[in-house]
Amino acid sequence: MAIQFINSQKAAELIPDNAVIALDGLLGADSPEEILEYLRARYKKEGHPKGLDVWHASGIGDSKHRGTNNFAEKGFLHRLVGGHYALAPELAPLSEANDFEAFNFPQGVLSQIFRDSAAHKPVLITNVGLGTFVDPKISGGRLNDAAKKATLVNRINIHGKDYLAYEVPKPNIALLRGTYADEDGNITFDDEPLTLVATAVAMAAHNNGGKVFVQVKRVVKSGSMNPKDIRIPGVLVDYVVETENKDMTRQTTDTIYNPDFVNSAVVKEADEINVPLDSKKVIARRATCILDQRTDHVVNFGIGKYPETCSLVLKEEGLLDNIVTTVEGGSFGGTPLVGGDFGAAIAPQAIIDEPYMFDFYDGGGIDLTFLGLAEADRKGNLNVSKFGPKVAGTGGFVDITQNTPKIVFTGTFTAAGLKEEVKDGKLHIIKEGKVKKFVKDVQQVTFSGEVAYENNQKVWYVTERAVFELVKDGLKLIEIAPGIDLQKDILDQMEFKPIISDNLKEMDPRIFQEPIMNIKNNS
């Protein structure tokens, strides 16, 4: 079939009932928002297409109405398999009501699964997810009772070792977004900060006999694009969808395309970093002490205010230039961005496709990662994916923590109303948080302490008042902050008693003072 040039409304009309849709995007980047909005409008008007089976690797949306929120209509979905759910809150009530089968798999696994689908592989085999909620011994990634009808991951043993085998979908529809298409259907990503899983998704749908729709900003003449800039060859494309609203090509609802995201030559002098001395900075300072400048050269910073503050503190100390940052969307180097621009970086050194970035992570390519600490338990397990009925999803957390040699979890000791002050070289707790974050058993295992210990990974849990490390029998308390009472401020605020080091130390008092430079590695 010759390539057809259509609008977004026509694209929505061509999606059949019970379609298996492979979808690309990360927050707002690469997301074919205009097609999705027309698709939702058609369903609300006609009741079609219905019973959709949607697969996506990264979280797609704005935490309001965009992205996968467009599927939040009763009967619209049959199944959703996603790497992250927090950006699509409109889906939560339908998932809880079992209106569709809801699965949460690791972001990296899902990015790689499209590649395997293109190659007609029956399963994706990996160690990622062992010992976590994705493991079929626990929940198999199921998020609701409706999902119990299906099994999408199994345990297998190869050469005496356990692995997870994830079922590979056969999408018959791919929904993508690029920047330009030529008259032969070749697609470039000039104005997108990342390329994500676009090539793999297009190839998966094409090789499984499906149709590939690509929303673009503009159609240009054949032969006018550099072949090396083309990320989706025209042979894979069935429909080019030139957007009606040029604003739909922006990265998020707030930020218009920024050349700094995609051009390493566009480097501006950053304003002087001056992080205020509060509990966030204390956590970040102590966490970054773990980074060894001699051996830790490739580093990942997770999303959230505490990992992000680690990056700022390293910049303030003049140490960020000595390492190469990475973000799971595919960027190496530069300054990783946060909030609605997470995934992009200012002046990156290189940008690769997302499945290859997770290949890099899975093979132990990064030396150290700084991640958030939402809930930890006596076994060293961590939960960042589910809190009561609220499902955030794992994102790349499981992939990154499964194979990184050194992991630093960062966060406050308690939550909900916690007020603290850093003064006179000490930490002062003004009002204790109502919620204990160190619990007997986490609500959902996003990180397995047992598996990490068996894999000889080094793991720290850094808070403003206490530092723990992972040992064979769980969490071991190794440091407390100056001004903190061991019993009242630590042990009484935990649901379990940790192992206490025979050589329990006070955290370096310089962490609680200004100015500070070059703290010696305390770990």
Side-chain angles (χ1 to χ4, degrees), residues 137-191:
K137 284 190 173 181
I138 302 178
S139 74
R142 300 178 181 91
L143 298 182
N144 60 8
D145 289 339
K148 292 180 180 180
K149 302 173 184 177
T151 298
L152 299 183
V153 58
N154 291 281
R155 263 194 182 233
I156 61 174
N157 189 279
I158 302 175
H159 302 317
K161 291 185 177 181
D162 285 340
Y163 295 89
L164 297 185
Y166 293 83
E167 295 295 324
V168 173
K170 295 181 179 180
N172 58 8
I173 296 291
L175 298 180
L176 307 164
R177 186 180 87 199
T179 302
Y180 301 114
D182 69 12
E183 294 166 329
D184 297 317
N186 297 304
I187 309 294
T188 66
F189 283 70
D190 304 57
D191 290 1

Side-chain angles (χ1 to χ4, degrees), residues 53-54 89 104-106 153-154 156 197 203 311 316 322 352 373 382 417 436 441 485-486:
D53 192 339
V54 176
N104 177 210
F105 286 162
V153 58
N154 291 281
I156 61 174
V197 293
M203 197 171 291
S311 175
E316 184 180 51
N322 299 330
I352 64 174
L373 191 164
L382 215 78
K436 294 180 180 178
D441 295 294
D485 181 89
L486 174 61

Side-chain angles (χ1 to χ4, degrees), residues 42 71 86 89 102 162 192 241 245 266 322 421 475 506 513 521:
R42 181 193 165 202
F71 295 105
D162 285 340
E192 294 294 335
V241 184
N245 180 2
V266 184
N322 299 330
E421 182 180 27
L475 290 188
E506 188 175 82
Q513 301 169 3
N521 188 320

Side-chain angles (χ1 to χ4, degrees), residues 295-339:
T295 59
D296 300 327
H297 303 301
V298 186
V299 178
N300 169 268
F301 295 96
I303 193 168
K305 59 184 176 181
Y306 300 104
E308 291 163 7
T309 306
C310 289
S311 175
L312 293 175
V313 165
L314 286 172
K315 184 71 173 178
E316 184 180 51
E317 294 285 331
L319 300 175
L320 196 59
D321 293 338
N322 299 330
I323 63 177
V324 175
T325 60
T326 70
V327 183
E328 54 259 42
S331 66
F332 285 87
T335 304
L337 297 178
V338 301

Side-chain angles (χ1 to χ4, degrees), residues 236-472:
L236 302 178
V237 178
D238 297 284
Y239 300 98
V240 171
V241 184
E242 190 169 6
T243 182
E244 301 164 12
N245 180 2
K246 305 305 180 188
D247 202 35
M248 285 293 184
T249 59
R250 58 190 179 178
Q251 149 77 343
T252 70
T253 55
D254 302 317
T255 305
I256 296 175
Y257 161 70
N258 184 336
D260 294 6
F261 292 167
V262 294
N263 188 348
S264 60
V266 184
V267 181
K268 297 180 175 65
E269 290 295 328
D271 294 334
E272 182 180 351
I273 300 294
N274 184 13
V275 183
L277 183 57
D278 56 14
S279 60
K280 290 196 300 295
K281 187 169 187 176
V282 165
I283 292 168
R285 278 179 165 176
R286 179 60 189 92
T288 55
C289 287
I290 294 168
L291 187 145
D292 189 328
Q293 293 289 313
R294 299 165 300 175
T295 59
D296 300 327
H297 303 301
V298 186
V299 178
N300 169 268
F301 295 96
I303 193 168
K305 59 184 176 181
Y306 300 104
E308 291 163 7
T309 306
C310 289
S311 175
L312 293 175
V313 165
L314 286 172
K315 184 71 173 178
E316 184 180 51
E317 294 285 331
L319 300 175
L320 196 59
D321 293 338
N322 299 330
I323 63 177
V324 175
T325 60
T326 70
V327 183
E328 54 259 42
S331 66
F332 285 87
T335 304
L337 297 178
V338 301
D341 289 320
F342 178 76
I346 293 292
Q349 296 175 13
I351 296 172
I352 64 174
D353 287 355
E354 187 176 6
Y356 295 111
M357 179 59 86
F358 279 102
D359 289 343
F360 183 65
Y361 289 167
D362 291 350
I366 54 177
D367 301 308
L368 181 148
T369 181
F370 295 99
L371 298 168
L373 191 164
E375 187 178 62
D377 70 16
R378 54 194 168 138
K379 298 178 182 178
N381 299 324
L382 215 78
N383 168 35
V384 299
S385 51
K386 187 178 187 299
F387 303 94
K390 184 178 180 180
V391 176
T394 168
F397 194 94
V398 172
D399 309 89
I400 293 167
T401 58
Q402 200 91 43
N403 298 294
T404 301
K406 297 168 70 173
I407 303 168
V408 187
F409 296 121
T410 59
T412 54
F413 198 79
T414 62
L418 175 65
K419 293 182 179 180
E420 297 169 306
E421 182 180 27
V422 181
K423 185 178 179 181
D424 301 325
K426 295 181 180 180
L427 178 70
H428 301 270
I429 300 173
I430 299 171
K431 183 179 180 181
E432 190 60 81
K434 298 177 182 178
V435 176
K436 294 180 180 178
K437 295 171 68 173
F438 288 84
V439 298
K440 185 178 180 181
D441 295 294
V442 293
Q443 297 175 59
Q444 187 174 75
V445 180
T446 327
F447 166 81
S448 170
E450 181 181 0
V451 170
Y453 184 81
E454 291 174 352
N455 290 340
N456 297 313
Q457 293 169 281
K458 294 182 178 180
V459 185
W460 292 266
Y461 309 73
V462 178
T463 75
E464 79 286 6
R465 70 183 79 170
V467 179
F468 302 86
E469 65 178 356
L470 181 66
V471 296
K472 182 178 180 179

